[in-house]
Amino acid sequence: MATQGGNLKSTSINGVKVYSISQRNLPTWLNPKKKRALRKDPHYQQRVELVQDLRFETATSRIKITPNEEYVIASGIYPPQVKVYELRELSMKFERHFDSEIIDFQILDDDYSKLAFLCADRSVCLHAKYGKHYTLRIPRMGRDIEYDCWSCDLFCAASSPDLYRINLEKGQFLKSFNTRSPALNVVSRSKVHGLVACGGEDGAVECFDPRVESSVGRIDAVAPSGDTNQEVTALEFDGDGGFLMAVGSSGGKVLLYDLRSSNPIRIKDHLYGSPILDIKWHSSLNSEGRKLITTDSHIVRIWDPETGEGMTSIEPNGGAINDICIFSNSGLMLLALDGSHIPSYFIPSLGPAPKWIASLENLTEELEENAQTTVYDNFKFLTKEDLERLNMTKYIGTNHLRAYMHGFFVDYRLYQREKAKADPFEYEAYIEKRKQEKLEEQRASRITIAKKLPKVNRSLAASILEKETENERKDAEAVENKKGSKKNKGLGTDIFHDERFGGMFENKEYEIDETSQEYLALHPVAATTKQPSSLAEYFEPIAEEDEDQDQDFSSSDDDIKGKSRVPRLYEVKDERHAEAFRNSVSLAEEDSLPIGERLASLGDVGRDSGIDRKKVKFGPGGSREISFISRSSGRFNREDKEDHQEGGGRNGRKRGVEALGLKKDRSAGFRGRGRGSRGRGRGRR
């Protein structure tokens, strides 16, 4: 429920009212005439300002309250600076500028007189009332800082497995606490028993006792939430008993631990997937029991650690959340955002207003009558298509659905119930998938013995080993499925060491010759796959001619068998391939060589082909230029003219089987069975 009186806005979530105290800040460069004109603006006259000039130019990084609750200290950018506000005067007391951005800071005294700032340039700046006191540097980039008032030790968590310690009384570094984490993200100290806990990038939390300077315990705090490869981003001890510890993960989950147990008591999911930035324990007279206030970059959730039920939540619209500041025993809180404005929220159910702003309770009473629901918590947003898919259109128009923009808000418990009805086997499929994944992980983690193949008959040994591995896999699947496995009586690797057959894999006299005629007769398929086709290597098909004659010639066979049986003719590629075919030599390796190596291997090719090498000019890139004199027409004889008229290849002759040195009568018969009347005519001549 939300209403607005002046600039005080009220929002109700789960029946808990949250008052947003808006501030209307005017720019410094505004014209004075326009500022005077604002006196007639009713919204400007009714504005509520907790503290004057509570803002930064760009963004606010950290905000905290001094232990005596008289000052508010905030750091922000740009430029990097820190501002101290005095609450009694409701205004800023002073501001200081820094050389680099402030990552975090700690208040060392009851007021602002002693401060320690952790900066982005690996420096730790110590400030006093009069200003900067001393600056030192730590070895690695700092991420968090914590102060132990009992021993005056300053703990610095950095991108290092060491937790740095600086003793402010002695003014020197102490021996660091060594952890097993690759880097530390956050450090926290209990105000009850003084135990120091640090969270690392590996999702582990390790606790140290400063009195013995050693680790007292370590647990994988993020693993019970079901997330893997998550980091610890927030830590906070309980301020009352000291036995409870809340851990925030980078996956947006909060785990509540008892120091006496390694299992979490409760797990709370923010449902945003953003890292948890801050955790605070809060108690007051208005609320029953303690509350946990957990924050990520999107939302602030207030919930009960005993039951896990959410009390209310805050979602600011001024930017991402960087930090939160809560007044003790009160319902007032301030948020540091990625924006110039620092909003403040007041929750009467959480606690009363602080003494310095006691009039805030009187202002909130004006908004008790008029209210309108605008924000929902623990609801699922669904579109019209989602409702049709889940068969939830029957709820349209009832109190179960709240219309919002282009869809509806539905209670998350109702959504889960209807989803289970729409797809009842989804959970079973998920469980089966998880089982298969675990089985695959177990199989991958099994120790396998590397088996070496013998030197003789390696291909046969490899096939035997492959069959044995396949049989073992089938037997394992049969056992996992609780089915009887049938033993395969095939050959196994035991044959390698058998006295009767072991020599076949050790003695070279028993090596199988895969090129022999006996082996090719028993393994015809293997022979065709291993040996390249000589037809494609030495020959090339002849372009088909007289297609109409061929179709007429074979039409009678097509009618009978339904398929043409016209033979396909081939001719040898060139003289080089013909010579290689006669000598049974393969040219595959030679053709695969680069052109430079092939030219070098030709040697005196110009001299063998009758070309004068002196007339050959060598150009760049392997180019050649040859000059020659063409023959006169009188030198053509009758046979050359006939071959030229018949469409022969080079020099008027077509390369065929004659170039291979075969008998002419075989070639004539072959040509006689060829292509139509033209082939038969050649055969008769």
Side-chain angles (χ1 to χ4, degrees), residues 386-397:
D386 297 335
L387 294 178
E388 294 176 355
R389 179 173 52 86
L390 298 175
N391 298 325
M392 295 180 62
T393 54
K394 57 185 178 181
Y395 295 110
I396 298 178

Side-chain angles (χ1 to χ4, degrees), residues 440 443 446 466-481:
E440 293 296 334
R443 292 170 185 168
R446 291 173 182 170
E466 183 179 356
K467 290 181 180 179
E468 185 181 26
T469 305
E470 182 67 19
N471 293 334
E472 291 177 356
R473 187 183 64 80
K474 291 181 179 179
D475 294 342
E477 291 180 354
V479 172
E480 292 170 357
N481 297 330

Side-chain angles (χ1 to χ4, degrees), residues 589-609:
E589 296 182 0
E590 184 178 349
D591 293 340
S592 63
L593 295 176
I595 187 171
E597 298 182 8
R598 281 188 285 169
L599 289 176
S601 62
L602 290 178
D604 298 336
V605 63
R607 188 178 304 170
D608 297 339
S609 58

Side-chain angles (χ1 to χ4, degrees), residues 611-618 625 627:
I611 301 175
D612 191 1
R613 294 296 299 273
K614 296 181 180 180
K615 298 181 180 180
V616 179
K617 296 181 180 179
F618 297 88
E625 181 180 347
S627 60

